[in-house]
Amino acid sequence: MQVIKKVNNNIAICLDNNNKELIAIGKGIGYPKTPYKIDDLSKIERTFYDIEPSYLELINTIPEQVMNVSIKVVDMVRTNIDKPISSNLVFTLADHINFTIKLVKKGMILPAPLKYDIQNLYPKEYELGEKALHIISKDLSVLLPRDEACNIALHFINAQAIDTSSHNNDHIIISDIVDIVSRYFKLYIDKTGFNYSRFVTHLQYLLKNKGDHKNISSVNKSMFKSVTKEYPDTFKCVEKISDYLTHQDIVLSDEEKLYLILHINRLRS
């Protein structure tokens, strides 16, 4: 195996014997000067093919313990779901777990607007989300809210093979929303970057919940008021998005607006 680029001390971009690019994880494989050849393949702990380049930029922002937990959770998912699972799931899930832990430490709770849909329509994925919470609690010594089982399950659902040909209208709506954000903040949005991929993923989740709303919880109602005061410009942008979606027969709840505010702030960071 040929190491062609260091990501960090323990992660590198490599070429296999068929000259196919992959991400390899192994203790110290990023230390030597690249390019170099790894003759002892026992040094490689894990490999991941077909990773989107935009996800590489977030690897160094995620603690190693969180990445290891994500790998363990994805292994569990692969053994319990028959459909192909995207290799990108390890990285998007690790990012979500890391972000959620930071919010919880600040006393914030991510809403789960699709909770009842996921429980009823995707019971297996929801059950795996609950098991993931146990793994996170045990390995990272952090207790996440039970509703996080839904948010994690959404990552499992999104990582399964999807026929995108039937989602053209959703793609148009997503593109329009991204344009609204870009124009409002006079912001250049790098569509090859992970922040963009993360935002689009959330919009896909939002569109799954068209017209089916639950009342905002008392905890998130307080959080919504606080966040709208702290980020008034982002809230105004979300209101523009809400007006646009109303014309698409999609009415956003306060819970969904709260989620959008959080994700747009990440997009702007």
Side-chain angles (χ1 to χ4, degrees), residues 210-237:
K210 297 174 184 176
D212 185 11
H213 309 296
K214 306 294 184 296
N215 292 328
I216 189 168
S217 68
S218 58
V219 173
N220 287 334
K221 183 180 293 185
S222 175
M223 181 180 170
F224 177 69
K225 291 180 180 178
S226 173
V227 167
T228 55
K229 289 181 180 179
E230 186 174 357
Y231 304 104
D233 284 343
T234 310
F235 177 57
K236 289 178 183 177
C237 180

Side-chain angles (χ1 to χ4, degrees), residues 176-187:
D176 287 346
I177 292 174
V178 171
D179 285 343
I180 290 172
V181 175
S182 179
R183 289 196 305 271
Y184 185 84
F185 292 107
K186 297 180 175 59
L187 175 69

Side-chain angles (χ1 to χ4, degrees), residues 55-73:
Y55 294 164
L56 296 178
E57 67 186 62
L58 70 86
I59 292 177
N60 288 322
T61 69
I62 299 174
E64 184 176 353
Q65 303 96 314
V66 174
M67 184 65 74
N68 289 337
V69 164
S70 183
I71 291 172
K72 182 183 290 189
V73 170

Side-chain angles (χ1 to χ4, degrees), residues 40-80:
D40 182 5
L41 293 182
S42 65
K43 294 181 179 180
I44 304 298
E45 299 170 8
R46 301 298 297 259
T47 58
F48 302 94
Y49 285 86
D50 302 319
I51 300 300
E52 292 185 21
S54 61
Y55 294 164
L56 296 178
E57 67 186 62
L58 70 86
I59 292 177
N60 288 322
T61 69
I62 299 174
E64 184 176 353
Q65 303 96 314
V66 174
M67 184 65 74
N68 289 337
V69 164
S70 183
I71 291 172
K72 182 183 290 189
V73 170
V74 173
D75 283 345
M76 173 192 68
V77 172
R78 290 186 188 279
T79 59
N80 286 277

Side-chain angles (χ1 to χ4, degrees), residues 3-20:
V3 177
I4 59 175
K5 184 178 180 180
K6 169 183 176 177
V7 176
N8 59 39
N9 290 336
N10 301 315
I11 303 177
I13 302 174
C14 305
L15 295 176
D16 66 13
N17 292 334
N18 296 317
N19 214 36
K20 188 171 182 180

Side-chain angles (χ1 to χ4, degrees), residues 66 69 97 100-102 104-105 132-145:
V66 174
V69 164
I97 294 170
T100 304
I101 289 173
K102 290 179 181 179
V104 168
K105 288 181 177 179
L133 288 183
H134 288 297
I135 294 174
I136 293 168
S137 175
K138 180 180 178 181
D139 290 13
L140 299 178
S141 300
V142 59
L143 190 62
L144 299 184

Side-chain angles (χ1 to χ4, degrees), residues 64-198:
E64 184 176 353
Q65 303 96 314
V66 174
M67 184 65 74
N68 289 337
V69 164
S70 183
I71 291 172
K72 182 183 290 189
V73 170
V74 173
D75 283 345
M76 173 192 68
V77 172
R78 290 186 188 279
T79 59
N80 286 277
I81 293 180
D82 295 332
K83 294 181 180 179
I85 300 295
S86 169
S87 297
N88 295 312
L89 176 60
V90 168
F91 303 98
T92 58
L93 180 61
D95 176 70
H96 174 80
I97 294 170
N98 192 45
F99 177 58
T100 304
I101 289 173
K102 290 179 181 179
L103 286 183
V104 168
K105 288 181 177 179
K106 293 179 180 179
M108 301 172 71
I109 300 175
L110 273 177
L114 304 182
K115 178 179 178 180
Y116 299 99
D117 291 331
I118 297 304
Q119 285 179 313
N120 291 302
L121 300 177
Y122 301 95
K124 179 179 287 188
E125 286 82 356
Y126 185 81
E127 181 183 354
L128 293 175
E130 291 184 316
K131 290 181 179 179
L133 288 183
H134 288 297
I135 294 174
I136 293 168
S137 175
K138 180 180 178 181
D139 290 13
L140 299 178
S141 300
V142 59
L143 190 62
L144 299 184
R146 288 193 64 184
D147 279 1
E148 261 304 299
C150 174
N151 293 326
I152 291 173
L154 283 170
H155 280 270
F156 303 159
I157 295 165
N158 197 57
Q160 296 176 42
I162 299 175
D163 178 13
T164 57
S165 63
S166 62
H167 293 72
N168 288 337
N169 189 53
D170 284 359
H171 295 331
I172 293 171
I173 292 174
I174 288 172
S175 178
D176 287 346
I177 292 174
V178 171
D179 285 343
I180 290 172
V181 175
S182 179
R183 289 196 305 271
Y184 185 84
F185 292 107
K186 297 180 175 59
L187 175 69
Y188 168 73
I189 298 175
D190 181 7
K191 294 185 179 180
T192 66
F194 180 73
N195 283 343
Y196 173 77
S197 299
R198 181 164 48 196

